[in-house]
Amino acid sequence: RFATGLYCDSSGPHASLFTVTNTVTSNPVLSIAAIKAGFTMMRSMVDPVTGNPLSNSPKYLVVPPALEVEAMEILGSPNVVYVPTGATSASLQKPTVNPVPSFGLTLVVDPYIPIIATTNGDTSWFLFADPNSGPLGPGLAAAQFDRMVGMSAPLLLQKRSDFTTVGGGGDPRGPLDELDSVTYRVVHAFGGGQLFPQAAVASNGSGS
């Protein structure tokens, strides 16, 4: 949940990470066209200091559970079917190949998105670059989550006994406190923060 909160807020894409520069225009619902727009947006990003292209590419498509099946269909469909909607539509030439599978996206379903985003939680979707691979080496990361060194898993602690026997030995009943109870503590040391907005694009899926 903490990690999801780095890129999500109560309205969907986190307002401090996603601005007009990396939010897909008009916040489209998840679709082939929307992913194409997001892909192009990230590929077009430039270094804010030098103005040089970053040559960054999306690697992960992150969606809530409500969009999981839709995302699977988009990533797995090799073709696009165009249905004419008017008298002139039938004469328009359209490509029938779905380019999205060639983007090499990995689908990630984050169940905490609708928990944190009470608005647009079921419609928001995100594209993230691979932080471990860029055009010239390590890539850019939109956010970072880390655990304390040496604590790759939660640490379980047990309070020492408050009592010893008169003879100096330990309490044969075990490590009991003043209430004759055993006290445990779980320590999970971690942290994180937002990094480079150029490493992500998003849409809240509202269509506006």
Side-chain angles (χ1 to χ4, degrees):
R1 180 168 184 155
F2 175 84
T4 304
L6 295 177
Y7 67 90
C8 268
D9 61 21
S10 61
S11 298
H14 204 296
S16 62
L17 181 63
F18 296 98
T19 62
V20 66
T21 60
N22 62 339
T23 298
V24 184
T25 304
S26 300
N27 283 298
V29 298
L30 183 66
S31 67
I32 293 174
I35 293 178
K36 288 165 58 179
F39 179 89
T40 301
M41 174 174 278
M42 184 178 291
R43 292 287 290 162
S44 302
M45 289 183 178
V46 299
D47 187 301
V49 177
T50 66
N52 294 326
L54 292 173
S55 300
N56 224 10
S57 296
K59 175 61 179 177
Y60 301 100
L61 171 61
V62 181
V63 301
L67 293 179
E68 180 176 6
V69 175
E70 182 73 20
M72 292 171 63
E73 291 176 346
I74 292 173
L75 297 180
S77 299
N79 298 315
V80 182
V81 177
Y82 291 91
V83 179
T85 57
T88 61
S89 299
S91 63
L92 297 178
Q93 294 182 349
K94 294 284 187 179
T96 59
V97 175
N98 176 13
V100 173
S102 67
F103 296 168
L105 296 173
T106 298
L107 177 61
V108 177
V109 181
D110 186 345
Y112 286 103
I113 292 176
I115 303 298
I116 294 176
T118 53
T119 302
N120 304 315
D122 287 334
T123 57
S124 295
W125 56 274
F126 308 80
L127 290 172
F128 289 97
D130 187 350
N132 299 311
S133 179
L136 300 176
L140 296 177
Q144 183 171 351
F145 171 87
D146 279 317
R147 295 182 176 89
M148 182 180 291
V149 175
M151 292 187 62
S152 58
L155 182 65
L156 179 62
L157 304 176
Q158 184 182 53
K159 186 177 181 181
R160 290 181 177 179
S161 177
D162 285 347
F163 302 96
T164 60
T165 62
V166 175
D171 189 335
R173 300 172 301 165
L176 302 180
D177 58 22
E178 65 277 4
L179 299 178
D180 284 346
S181 301
V182 179
T183 302
Y184 293 95
R185 176 173 295 174
V186 177
V187 179
H188 194 184
F190 59 85
Q194 298 171 349
L195 296 177
F196 300 100
Q198 297 87 354
V201 298
S203 168
N204 64 25
S206 66
S208 60

